[in-house]
Amino acid sequence: MAVTVQEPAALSPIGSGHDDEALPQYHIEAQTSLVERPLRSLKHGDAFAVLDSYGDIGVFPGPEGLYFQDTRFLSRLELTVEGQRPLLLGSVIQDDNGALSVDMTTPDIRIDANDETSIPREIIALDRTKFLFRGTCYDRIGLRNYDTKPRHLRLALTFDADFRDLFEVRGGTRERRGQRSVEVTRPDEVTFRYRGLDDRLRTTRLRFGPKPVVIEKHRAEFEVRLAAGGRASVFVRAVFDASDIKADRLVTVTGSALPITSPVYPNPRREDGHAKGEGMAFALAYRDARRDLRAATADITTIESSNDQFNEAACRATADLYMLASRTEHGLYPYAGIPWYSTVFGRDGIITAMMTLWIDPNIAKGVLRYLAATQAKTSDPAADAQPGKILHETRHGEMANLGEVPFRQYYGTIDATPLFVMLAGQYFEQTGDKATIQAIWPNILAALEWIDAFGDRDGDGFVEYARETEKGLANQGWKDSHDSIFHADGRMAQGPIALCEVQGYVFAAKRSAAKLAAMLGHAALAERLKDASERLREAFDRAFFVPEIGTYALALDGEKRPCAVRSSNAGHALFTGIAHPDRVASVADVLMSKDGFNGWGVRTIAQGEARFNPMSYHNGSIWPHDNAIVALGLARYGHKAAAARVFEGQHGASLYQEGRRLPELFCGFIQRKQRGPTNYPVACSPQAWAAAAPFAFLAACLGLELRHDRNRIRFRDPILPSFLDEVLIRNLKLGGSRVDLLLHRHGADVTVNVLRRKGDAQVVLLK
């Protein structure tokens, strides 16, 4: 989901990040809320499209467009019939996210005073199908005449390509841009070109079938003659690519994430073959795209329940995950979200992989391998990088290539490095994939070295952050808004800042690494890591627990003073296991209090805190992934009923979302009767870690544990939320074993029945 952006916005970092009057860093400007106008999203590889309900682009100012590598390759594509926009009947993204399907009809059309040439509404049906596949956006506009006499009408497409960088679309301004051109290159083709200041040639080719009767630089018109009951189709292909301009050659990058190995679809040049050839190209690409989607999910674990609405939510979440997951040379990687974050993010990818590990461990494997390959090897202050640090994000647009924004390969995150080690431990515990762990073991050691040598800046045992470039992010945890880390009186915390959750990630990372080291025969290292984790746990409890608020501090500032603010960050301490058992009941009470839990979920910041704002990005909003981590933490310490309440709240929120899709976040206003949650105006949807959240909620309530070393699938004190009576889990994998399980709720108890078993994995229910 996205917003209309305000073009004059300045794009500049704000120094320390503590000036309340300054424009927030890399702010997404918004004049129009996304809820005013529903948008539709498609994605394949490094390309994505944001469309309005008609399948059009750019009819109104906003974020709509066809994007590739952080650049908008098509900024306008509007369909009209006899100069008028059709009447919209229905618009849906297909259940597997494979295509957009739109049903329309013509409005009342009066071509002239002669009634014989006028067309009443509801006579001509239009159906439109759009999808992305391997460097091309395919668009079919079908027409059918339901009249008893022939009809003749003119269809037109208006188009443009502005080649704006995504950060410009988000609200940034630039002093200079490259050179843009457009020409009619064939009777059925218009080509837009942009030579950027980064010496990349970006090209969009629009190809039409049948051949237009009029073709201009920004417009094509088609004569459509329909017999009584007759049909016709108009096809549009938007083919996009980017090339590095060299002295002697062009190196082209297509819209596909991997090299294209399938045959090139036909593009006949004969005038009488345009429609037929474009129709064949559309059909073949549509077939191959659907095969591609089916192959991606062929061996995953699936969920079916007694609740049809939850089934819809689970199906949508699965479709979103595999739409956002791009195939890289290292394996699958879930891009963070559409439209603003459709790229690799280290933290987002890792957390998404953690929450979906029991559904598909291949996602975790791809994330680990990708982040190992891109791990920083040298110090680079401009990228906030030091040796061993894990990537925060990567961008491929013109502004990143030129250094106008620092995100070409940016490492300004404090938590991705310990999270990387955590994920490696979780992945091995479930899969026993020793080969992958051995391959990335040098990267794990480098990450551990970074934690101690660079993460702990002052040697006090805690990991802190402070950016090294003024262009970088001021706050470098998952709550990275400029105003998200503050003291109880509202004053901004001055760095270096040690975040509550990051200490938990480091604790869990060292415990995970200790187990991996022992498995690989490094006994002395394993013992040192285990001892270090226990020392950190004790120091964390002393420094971070604040009795006056009954929970862990949000952070420690540069002078080691606690930010005594009730926040959801404390739930991450439960998730990682760093929380002392004696503190857990108090922490859980704060999280689930009326100030923390609003009925839909746990707020990022509790109501009553100095900077609480339910409409803010991080200071009182509700994030599904954050709530999933909180639920996992509550369940870890036996607070299953509280975890189930969080699950129930988030499921209730999904019922008010189109397609049952949980967005990136929503506002933290109190739950009100007969009303759904309040949307956040610039939330991404779909968002990978929000899509992964339902699977984490279910695993938390079931107490699901998969241990390859014990060949055991365990359900530890399982419960089911009130909206689920039964859950059927198909193709749950452990090593070479596969099982289908039916879980049934009997009051407060849950039974587990094995319906199918392949292999010798044990299924254990522990109370």
Side-chain angles (χ1 to χ4, degrees), residues 586-600:
S586 178
V587 173
D589 286 346
V590 171
L591 290 167
M592 300 305 297
S593 69
K594 63 180 179 61
D595 290 337
F597 183 78
N598 78 336
W600 301 118

Side-chain angles (χ1 to χ4, degrees), residues 451-452 456 458-464 503 506 510 532 536 539 560:
I451 289 171
D452 291 336
D456 184 2
D458 54 13
D460 68 341
F462 297 132
V463 170
E464 306 96 356
Q503 314 318 311
V506 172
K510 291 188 174 182
L536 174 59
K560 307 305 175 185

Side-chain angles (χ1 to χ4, degrees), residues 600 652-653 655-656 669-679:
W600 301 118
L655 302 183
Y656 291 90
F669 293 107
I670 193 69
Q671 188 180 59
R672 289 163 284 188
K673 290 183 179 180
Q674 300 182 353
R675 295 179 62 176
T678 303
N679 289 319

Side-chain angles (χ1 to χ4, degrees), residues 319-339:
D320 285 349
L321 281 168
Y322 288 92
M323 178 178 73
L324 291 169
S326 290
R327 291 187 182 92
T328 75
E329 62 180 306
H330 307 289
L332 287 177
Y333 201 105
Y335 284 12
I338 296 174

Side-chain angles (χ1 to χ4, degrees), residues 116-352:
E116 292 298 314
T117 60
S118 297
I119 303 175
R121 69 178 185 272
E122 302 162 8
I123 291 295
I124 308 296
L126 293 91
D127 66 278
R128 190 174 194 178
T129 302
K130 298 188 75 148
F131 65 96
L132 287 171
F133 191 58
R134 292 182 173 173
T136 302
C137 181
Y138 292 87
D139 194 348
R140 174 191 172 273
I141 303 157
L143 301 97
R144 183 172 181 180
N145 179 16
Y146 282 93
D147 204 354
T148 55
K149 60 183 179 180
R151 289 293 181 178
H152 169 224
L153 67 164
R154 180 165 288 213
L155 182 149
L157 290 164
T158 305
F159 39 82
D160 199 1
D162 62 6
F163 296 102
R164 288 193 175 272
D165 190 283
L166 184 67
F167 284 89
E168 290 183 272
V169 179
R170 281 174 48 159
T173 57
R174 303 180 64 196
E175 294 181 1
R176 297 173 58 231
R177 299 190 82 248
Q179 296 178 338
R180 187 169 68 108
S181 64
V182 57
E183 62 178 323
V184 177
T185 44
R186 282 184 4 202
D188 64 340
E189 180 182 88
V190 175
T191 301
F192 294 88
R193 295 186 178 90
Y194 176 70
R195 180 165 183 156
L197 301 178
D198 58 350
D199 282 332
R200 284 178 67 77
L201 179 65
R202 297 168 172 87
T203 303
T204 304
R205 295 179 177 86
L206 293 176
R207 295 171 179 168
F208 307 100
K211 187 177 73 173
V213 295
V214 174
I215 185 165
E216 301 169 347
K217 291 182 178 180
H218 296 281
R219 184 177 177 84
E221 295 185 7
F222 306 84
E223 294 284 353
V224 180
R225 298 182 182 277
L226 295 166
R231 300 172 183 264
S233 293
V234 173
F235 297 91
V236 186
R237 275 197 284 173
V239 183
F240 46 93
D241 59 57
S243 304
D244 286 328
I245 302 172
K246 306 293 184 182
D248 57 347
R249 62 191 177 98
L250 291 179
V251 180
T252 301
V253 180
T254 70
S256 177
L258 291 178
I260 297 174
T261 56
S262 62
V264 176
Y265 299 123
N267 185 33
R269 293 174 180 267
R270 294 196 329 247
E271 290 189 11
D272 61 353
H274 280 80
K276 182 178 180 181
E278 289 299 326
M280 185 182 299
F282 180 94
L284 291 174
Y286 188 76
R287 177 203 66 189
D288 289 350
R290 304 205 78 75
R291 288 178 177 174
D292 208 45
L293 282 170
R294 288 194 296 270
T297 58
D299 193 40
I300 68 170
T301 298
T302 60
I303 299 165
E304 187 178 343
S305 78
S306 56
N307 187 310
D308 290 340
Q309 294 170 321
F310 178 71
N311 294 341
E312 292 172 13
C315 287
R316 173 58 64 196
T318 301
D320 285 349
L321 281 168
Y322 288 92
M323 178 178 73
L324 291 169
S326 290
R327 291 187 182 92
T328 75
E329 62 180 306
H330 307 289
L332 287 177
Y333 201 105
Y335 284 12
I338 296 174
W340 309 126
Y341 309 119
S342 187
T343 187
V344 167
F345 276 78
R347 176 195 305 124
D348 296 57
I350 294 168
I351 291 176
T352 299

Side-chain angles (χ1 to χ4, degrees), residues 590-635:
V590 171
L591 290 167
M592 300 305 297
S593 69
K594 63 180 179 61
D595 290 337
F597 183 78
N598 78 336
W600 301 118
V602 176
R603 297 177 171 114
T604 49
I605 296 294
Q607 181 174 261
E609 297 297 340
R611 287 186 171 268
F612 171 76
N613 177 358
M615 296 181 292
S616 70
Y617 198 52
H618 287 128
N619 289 344
S621 54
I622 292 172
W623 291 63
H625 92 276
D626 187 36
N627 274 260
I629 290 174
V630 169
L632 287 166
L634 290 166

